[in-house]
Amino acid sequence: MNPGSLDRKITIERAVITPDAMGGRSTAWAALCTAWALFKPPKMRQEIIQGGIAAIVTHEITIRSCNGVTPGCRVVEGERIYDVIGVGVIDRRYMTLICKEVDRFGD
C-alpha cells in the first residue's frame, strides 16, 4: 500500500464507562489514537428492519496498525462520526476498519 494514499486525518476513540451517583452509568469518549486514513467508496445495502426497508451504508477505512482498536470504538473525522463494527488486519503495518456512519439528525 502506498502510504501517500492515507490522506484524511481521523481520531479513533474508545468508550469509557463510569458509574454515576444514581446507580446507573455514563459513557464518555476518550481518544485512543490519531491516524491518517484512506476512505474507500461507501457500500450500501438494503435490509428490512421492523417491517420497513432501511438503507445500511458502510465505510471501509484503512489506517496504519494501532493497538486497541476493536469493534465498539468510533472514528471521528471533523463533524462526522463512524461506529467501528469490524476490524481486519491487512498485514502487520495496516488494518481496515468497517464502519457505519452515525446518524446525527437528533442533534
Side-chain angles (χ1 to χ4, degrees):
M1 164 171 264
N2 178 3
S5 62
L6 305 174
D7 60 353
R8 292 164 74 174
K9 193 169 188 176
I10 63 170
T11 301
I12 300 173
E13 298 178 335
R14 173 185 290 159
V16 178
I17 300 171
T18 55
D20 63 18
M22 304 293 282
R25 61 184 187 184
S26 62
T27 303
W29 292 93
L32 179 64
C33 66
T34 301
W36 289 97
L38 166 67
F39 281 67
K40 293 188 179 171
K43 296 178 183 176
M44 187 179 119
R45 68 180 192 279
Q46 293 181 346
E47 289 184 3
I48 297 177
I49 298 177
Q50 296 181 351
I53 297 175
I56 308 296
V57 179
T58 56
H59 300 265
E60 193 172 313
I61 303 170
T62 302
I63 63 170
R64 290 185 189 269
S65 290
C66 176
N67 291 333
V69 179
T70 60
C73 290
R74 73 180 190 178
V75 172
V76 178
E77 183 209 17
E79 295 293 317
R80 299 176 85 174
I81 298 174
Y82 305 88
D83 286 334
V84 177
I85 58 176
V87 177
V89 177
I90 298 173
D91 59 31
R92 292 183 303 156
R93 296 177 299 163
Y94 296 98
M95 62 192 324
T96 298
L97 311 176
I98 306 301
C99 301
K100 178 178 70 168
E101 189 162 7
V102 176
D103 292 331
R104 301 187 67 204
F105 298 113
D107 291 352

